[in-house]
Amino acid sequence: MFKFKLEKHSAPYWLRILLPFIAIVATFILTSIILLISKVNPLQAFYYILVDPLSSRSSLIEILVKTTPLFLTGIAVTVAFASGFFNIGAEGQMMAGAAAGAGLGMIIHNVSPALGIPAMILGGFIAGAAWVLIPALLKVKLSVDEVVTTLLMNSVVGYVISYLLNGPWKSPLSGWPQSPEIDKSTVFFKLIPKTRLHFGFIIALVVIFLVWLLLKKTRLGFNMRASGMAKDAAYFTGIDVNKTMLISALLSGGIAGVAGAVEVGGIHYHLIEALSGGLGYSGIIVATLSSLNPLGVLPSALFIGLIDTGSQTLSRAMGVPVHLGDIVQALLLLVILGTFLFQNYRIRRVK
């Protein structure tokens, strides 16, 4: 009689490269089963999800619009995870940054956009970093699990924003739970006229490049990666792991906060409760799919943006619920976690 067990094993380089693609294929196989049960043709459905959005200029631009915040939340999670701080609170940090951006947009008046837009970005960064500060301190000072604390902070910021939008920030014009419009000096300019693609897209690309430089070319980046790969070994080499983890946590929360400010300044022009819509959680999928490679965030986020846009196209064309995209993303995360297990383990048959 044979049994199977997991044993430590370093996967070859070629397999590590293939694992994300294997995860994607496996995800679509599982999604096909769900579609067949729902009596939907999987091939036709995948055409509307993966091909149709690429067939027109307007839908291509919309993919870039949806990808912009995913670039930022994905790279935010990458920074934290790479250093061993498992930040599940990018959703809340993004909303904190959005609230700060909206607040600054209501305060700032009659200044140049050259001052207004950087103020929005800086305010979003500070708010996001401040929101992750408590979980980060609890982690480095008391070893409290950051997965729990960052996740709980998402709910806290939700209640704070709900209070603001139903109280002091409630729009006097519409009466809806949304803040007043931000000043025009804090509105991001459009990269392509008469589209929704805005300056935030450039900001996101610059942030990804800077994070790549940080992690790959600096001493601090080396300390972050060393702390994430082997905390005990990093201690013995003289790295201050707690200080490094605290810095990476604040940087991660700050970048997620910038994502919120960018959505306010580039898309909504006011604060609403549903502004994020799960983009912080999608950032976890983007970071995981990219294997925590900063440059890998680019194709990973574009792929998730394509699925999001394609799910809406599929819903209009075939009447399939638009939440199919959420199902694909959830399955993708689970499959990725399963397949990436084989980076460091293999299944061996034993007697």
Side-chain angles (χ1 to χ4, degrees):
M1 181 177 180
F2 292 97
K3 295 182 179 180
F4 297 91
K5 73 172 186 177
L6 283 175
E7 67 176 13
K8 278 280 189 178
H9 173 72
S10 181
Y13 183 71
W14 62 267
L15 180 58
R16 292 173 179 265
I17 295 176
L18 285 179
L19 281 176
F21 300 98
I22 294 172
I24 291 171
V25 172
T27 298
F28 281 111
I29 291 174
L30 293 174
T31 307
S32 298
I33 297 173
I34 296 174
L35 291 171
L36 288 171
I37 294 174
S38 304
K39 298 181 180 179
V40 176
N41 186 334
L43 294 179
Q44 190 175 5
F46 291 148
Y47 169 81
Y48 284 115
I49 293 176
L50 300 175
V51 179
D52 189 78
L54 303 175
S55 61
S56 68
R57 177 177 177 271
S58 60
S59 58
L60 280 171
I61 293 174
E62 191 61 24
I63 291 172
L64 298 181
V65 172
K66 291 183 180 297
T67 301
T68 297
L70 290 173
F71 280 152
L72 291 167
T73 57
I75 199 65
V77 175
T78 297
V79 169
F81 281 22
S83 65
F85 184 85
F86 296 101
N87 181 16
I88 312 297
E91 180 84 0
Q93 294 142 25
M94 179 178 176
M95 290 304 295
L104 287 169
M106 291 185 287
I107 295 172
I108 296 173
H109 292 286
N110 301 320
V111 301
S112 168
L115 295 176
I117 293 175
M120 288 272 287
I121 297 170
L122 180 60
F125 183 91
I126 293 174
W131 203 254
V132 79
L133 179 60
I134 293 177
L137 289 176
L138 288 174
K139 173 66 175 180
V140 300
K141 298 295 185 181
L142 301 174
S143 298
V144 177
D145 188 351
E146 72 276 20
V147 172
V148 176
T149 53
T150 54
L151 185 61
L152 290 175
M153 291 293 281
N154 292 343
S155 299
V156 175
V157 76
Y159 288 121
V160 172
I161 288 176
S162 178
Y163 161 74
L164 291 173
L165 297 183
N166 288 281
W169 282 9
K170 189 172 184 178
S171 175
L173 298 177
S174 66
W176 289 96
Q178 67 181 43
S179 68
E181 298 289 301
I182 61 175
D183 189 75
K184 63 180 181 180
S185 60
T186 58
V187 172
F188 291 17
F189 60 85
K190 303 299 181 185
L191 297 180
I192 302 177
K194 298 180 180 180
T195 70
R196 299 204 305 161
L197 188 63
H198 54 85
F199 178 61
F201 181 77
I202 302 298
I203 294 173
L205 295 180
V206 171
V207 170
I208 290 175
F209 177 69
L210 292 177
V211 170
W212 175 80
L213 284 178
L214 171 67
L215 290 179
K216 301 296 184 181
K217 304 294 182 180
T218 68
R219 177 62 181 270
L220 175 60
F222 172 81
N223 292 349
M224 288 179 176
R225 290 184 287 115
S227 300
M229 288 187 290
K231 182 186 296 186
D232 293 336
Y235 271 121
F236 283 111
T237 59
I239 295 174
D240 189 336
V241 173
N242 286 337
K243 179 181 178 181
T244 301
M245 191 175 294
L246 180 61
I247 293 173
S248 65
L250 295 176
L251 183 59
S252 172
I255 295 173
V258 170
V262 163
E263 284 294 282
V264 171
I267 298 294
H268 299 281
Y269 314 129
H270 55 250
L271 180 65
I272 56 175
E273 290 187 55
L275 180 139
S276 176
L279 290 169
Y281 297 115
S282 296
I284 299 173
I285 300 173
V286 171
T288 308
L289 185 60
S290 67
S291 299
L292 305 184
N293 184 326
L295 297 183
V297 167
L298 293 169
S300 299
L302 285 168
F303 178 69
I304 300 300
L306 172 62
I307 291 177
D308 192 8
T309 305
S311 298
Q312 296 178 3
T313 304
L314 174 64
S315 180
R316 292 192 298 267
M318 300 182 66
V320 175
V322 71
H323 297 297
L324 178 65
D326 297 330
I327 294 174
V328 172
Q329 291 186 39
L331 285 173
L332 183 59
L333 178 60
L334 293 174
V335 173
I336 289 171
L337 294 175
T339 54
F340 280 12
L341 178 67
F342 295 101
Q343 285 190 345
N344 300 308
Y345 292 89
R346 69 179 177 183
I347 298 175
R348 189 168 70 89
R349 189 175 68 172
V350 296
K351 290 186 178 181

